[in-house]
Amino acid sequence: MAVKALYYSERDGLDMALKHPDTMLFSSKADADARDKILELAEEITQFLHNRVEGLGEELAEKAALAIAEEKDLFAKALKKPSLLNAIAGDDRSDED
């Protein structure tokens, strides 16, 4: 029998990683570290949103922050060309219809 190492971000926690193995368990440490960096960024964005958007609920702030963190490269490009945000969002919506 072969042994295979799997990695997960401690920020997700083992229970959550086991519930969502396709997106939260990784075969390389580098991939798990990348996930951890996204979660770290999401935590900072959540705090930023709480400080800047009055009345924003915790759950919605966390969801928005995670979405932004997961698309950080898109947001970086959009700083130079804002229309990219809606062009890509429009592409995603057409795939769902």
Side-chain angles (χ1 to χ4, degrees), residues 17 34 67 72 91:
K72 67 182 174 115
D91 291 346

Side-chain angles (χ1 to χ4, degrees), residues 26-51:
F26 306 95
S27 58
S28 76
K29 184 178 182 311
D31 289 342
D33 285 341
R35 170 73 180 171
D36 191 61
K37 287 182 181 182
I38 287 172
L39 295 174
E40 180 180 7
L41 178 58
E43 287 177 11
E44 293 297 325
I45 294 171
T46 299
Q47 185 63 44
F48 174 85
L49 291 174
H50 276 294
N51 292 336

Side-chain angles (χ1 to χ4, degrees), residues 34-89:
R35 170 73 180 171
D36 191 61
K37 287 182 181 182
I38 287 172
L39 295 174
E40 180 180 7
L41 178 58
E43 287 177 11
E44 293 297 325
I45 294 171
T46 299
Q47 185 63 44
F48 174 85
L49 291 174
H50 276 294
N51 292 336
R52 296 288 181 105
V53 182
E54 187 176 327
L56 182 63
E58 184 175 334
E59 184 178 347
L60 186 56
E62 288 175 0
K63 286 181 180 181
L66 186 57
I68 292 168
E70 288 174 341
E71 297 292 341
K72 67 182 174 115
D73 294 335
L74 172 61
F75 275 86
K77 291 176 185 175
L79 292 173
K80 295 179 182 175
K81 187 175 179 184
S83 63
L84 288 175
L85 286 176
N86 289 321
I88 303 233

